[in-house]
Amino acid sequence: MLAPRGVVFLLAASVVLCAAGLRSDASRPAAAFSLDDYEDEDEDSSSFSFTFPDTGARGLAFGFYDETCPDAEEIVSSTVRRLFHADPNVAAALVRLFFHDCFIHGCDASVLLDRLDGRNKSERDAAPNQSLRGFGAIEQVKARVEAACPGTVSCADVLALAARDSLVLVGGPGFPVLTGRRDSARGFYDEVEPHFPGPNATYAATLDAFARRGFTAREAVALLGAHSIGKVRCRFFRDRIYDFAGTGGPDDSIDPDMVGEMRAACGGGEYDDDDGAAPMEMGYYRQGREVGFGAHYYAELLGGRGILRSDQQLTAAGSTLRWVRVYASGERGQEVFREDFAHAMVKLSALSPLTGSAGQIRITCARAIQDYE
């Protein structure tokens, strides 16, 4: 069962204690969190830290809706649970949807906007977002919140909370989610493709994309661990297993046995339309219906079993390979990964929020307020 509103997960005490201090002491410009390096202190990057945003200035806080909609977080949590029990795949979909929202122009729910009457392309229309799922699930959550507290809770906050709750349901770490975001009145279609790392990106392109959003190599590698859940369609890796870079053969960085598995998942044909094929799974499922979040993703990369080239590329450079090895190194590595991932998700959730009088509170997440007029 997910923790109710106001209960901070006991995943990383340093995050929780420092973040809680922010709420009571907004005069501090920032609070820093640190993790000891994984028994390696010979590099400047060995100490992992990031600056928690000045939430007082940004208008984010724990329990932002305590007075105006006290049951908001519980409504989100219970609805996500119900959706997950009906379809466990919704968890990965909501986590990915949240990442794609925050990575472009901040966590403002702009990715949820649909185009109106075929006009003005939405972020959903951009190539990196065309495979996103979970829009209907978010609308279901928002509708329940609206029924309890009309015009009060933003779609941006609903998505942030739903992503965190989804991760917990699939065995991921809990982390504190500040609220108080407001929704963008428009999308940013033109900004998506130029700034989003693609499935065939090199490690340099991936790190550059994350760096432009303020993330270190360590944080980027940790966030990509979300690929341990969910599925990826064959069209995103078909070239790697049939005709990589015009060679007429598979990408030689893929384990040969893995090539066979990937071809089998795609129906075995080079030119088959993957719409009818079962999606290739990213990572592994646990027994039964529960999707398993974890560091096994990194062990797969070390074995040359990365499905996307952008994932396998994490083993191509020392700055990223180092953290792949750390996270794949057994129980201690799993612990470090979960802590790093939780920290990085807190940082992601604080990217460029609209607060105060900026933005709006949408009634339905797919339509801006002005679109009803």
Side-chain angles (χ1 to χ4, degrees):
M1 181 175 180
L2 298 184
R5 174 185 54 80
V7 176
V8 178
F9 292 89
L10 302 180
L11 182 278
S14 62
V15 178
V16 173
L17 293 176
C18 293
L22 284 174
R23 192 177 180 188
S24 60
D25 185 10
S27 62
R28 289 186 295 171
F33 304 95
S34 298
L35 289 173
D36 292 333
D37 185 42
Y38 191 74
E39 301 177 1
D40 185 351
E41 299 181 356
D42 61 348
E43 298 182 26
D44 291 339
S45 61
S46 64
S47 178
F48 173 56
S49 66
F50 70 81
T51 301
F52 202 101
D54 181 354
T55 56
R58 291 182 177 271
L60 299 181
F62 290 112
F64 182 85
Y65 300 107
D66 280 355
E67 299 297 327
T68 57
C69 192
D71 295 328
E73 294 191 26
E74 176 55 32
I75 293 171
V76 173
S77 146
S78 63
T79 308
V80 169
R81 264 199 316 276
R82 176 174 59 79
L83 292 166
F84 175 78
H85 291 316
D87 177 12
N89 293 316
V90 75
L94 294 180
V95 172
R96 184 169 178 242
L97 195 56
F98 177 64
F99 178 83
H100 279 241
D101 180 47
C102 294
F103 210 73
I104 302 299
H105 228 270
C107 306
D108 59 3
S110 57
V111 75
L112 302 178
L113 287 170
D114 205 354
R115 63 163 73 180
L116 182 66
D117 298 328
R119 295 181 286 108
N120 300 323
K121 287 185 177 181
S122 71
E123 288 180 33
R124 297 193 200 188
D125 297 313
N129 292 342
Q130 289 176 5
S131 61
L132 291 177
R133 297 173 55 246
F135 297 101
I138 288 297
E139 292 291 5
Q140 289 185 53
V141 179
K142 173 64 170 171
R144 287 199 63 200
V145 174
E146 278 295 306
C149 313
T152 303
V153 181
S154 69
C155 294
D157 277 341
V158 166
L159 181 55
L161 293 166
R164 188 273 309 278
D165 294 346
S166 293
L167 279 164
V168 174
L169 284 168
V170 295
F175 50 90
V177 174
L178 306 182
T179 46
R181 299 168 190 79
R182 289 169 66 85
D183 300 324
S184 173
R186 58 175 290 248
F188 303 93
Y189 169 83
D190 292 333
E191 297 185 27
V192 178
E193 195 159 0
H195 297 95
F196 213 91
N200 284 317
T202 64
Y203 73 88
T206 296
L207 290 184
D208 178 67
F210 275 89
R212 281 187 272 111
R213 304 304 289 148
F215 292 98
T216 66
R218 180 174 181 174
E219 292 165 340
V221 175
L223 283 174
L224 288 171
H227 285 179
S228 62
I229 58 175
K231 300 176 181 179
V232 58
R233 287 283 181 179
C234 293
R235 62 188 173 92
F236 292 110
F237 59 82
R238 188 183 299 280
D239 63 319
R240 296 190 71 214
I241 56 178
Y242 289 110
D243 185 20
F244 179 67
T247 62
D251 182 348
D252 61 10
S253 69
I254 310 176
D255 175 76
D257 290 339
M258 185 64 169
V259 172
E261 294 175 29
M262 294 166 78
R263 286 178 173 174
C266 290
E270 183 175 356
Y271 301 108
D272 288 347
D273 183 351
D274 74 313
D275 287 344
M280 180 69 180
E281 293 180 357
M282 177 72 76
Y284 287 92
Y285 282 85
R286 295 180 189 158
Q287 293 296 319
R289 300 178 67 195
E290 186 177 7
V291 180
F293 175 95
H296 53 277
Y297 163 76
Y298 302 101
E300 293 296 289
L301 298 186
L302 291 177
R305 296 176 61 85
I307 298 173
L308 298 178
R309 181 173 185 249
S310 57
D311 289 332
Q312 193 60 57
Q313 277 278 298
L314 295 181
T315 64
S319 61
T320 51
L321 175 60
R322 175 189 182 191
W323 296 110
V324 172
R325 286 174 171 163
V326 167
Y327 298 152
S329 61
E331 185 176 345
R332 173 57 178 153
Q334 171 89 344
E335 178 184 345
V336 173
F337 163 57
R338 291 174 67 85
E339 292 174 348
D340 284 6
F341 185 85
H343 280 74
M345 285 295 288
V346 171
K347 182 172 179 176
L348 176 70
S349 70
L351 288 180
S352 307
L354 297 173
T355 58
S357 60
Q360 58 185 225
I361 304 294
R362 295 185 213 139
I363 306 304
T364 60
C365 295
R367 297 185 66 181
I369 294 296
Q370 67 270 20
D371 291 342
Y372 290 92
E373 299 173 355

